[in-house]
Amino acid sequence: MISVVIPTFNRKTNLELTLYALEKQTDRDFELILVDDGSTDGTGDWFKEQKYSFPTKYHYMGENQGYRQC
């Protein structure tokens, strides 16, 4: 199984388009992990209400931590 990890911060509209594209995939051997970096635009509530034909996980980081270099 492949894990598709999507980081997001206040980009609900872009996320809707991305998840729509994932829903149209014919290969179903993947899960989605959404990492919410403290969104305040309702992204988390919206995501939790959606139903997808693939497994999903939601992680809320609590605050915008930005991108970090490793």
Side-chain angles (χ1 to χ4, degrees):
M1 177 178 283
I2 296 172
S3 295
V4 176
V5 180
I6 300 176
T8 188
F9 176 70
N10 287 341
R11 296 285 184 242
K12 187 174 90 171
T13 301
N14 293 356
L15 185 61
E16 290 178 69
L17 295 172
T18 302
L19 297 180
Y20 175 78
L22 281 175
E23 190 67 47
K24 297 297 179 187
Q25 295 297 311
T26 56
D27 184 349
R28 291 296 184 185
D29 192 24
F30 68 90
E31 67 176 349
L32 170 68
I33 302 171
L34 183 67
V35 181
D36 187 342
D37 206 15
S39 293
T40 57
D41 66 349
T43 296
D45 291 335
W46 172 83
F47 181 76
K48 291 178 206 173
E49 292 173 357
Q50 305 307 303
K51 302 294 181 213
Y52 297 101
S53 59
F54 48 84
T56 62
K57 296 177 184 173
Y58 176 77
H59 296 283
Y60 183 72
M61 301 301 289
E63 64 183 66
N64 185 355
Q65 299 178 22
Y67 290 102
R68 295 184 239 170
Q69 293 183 351
C70 297

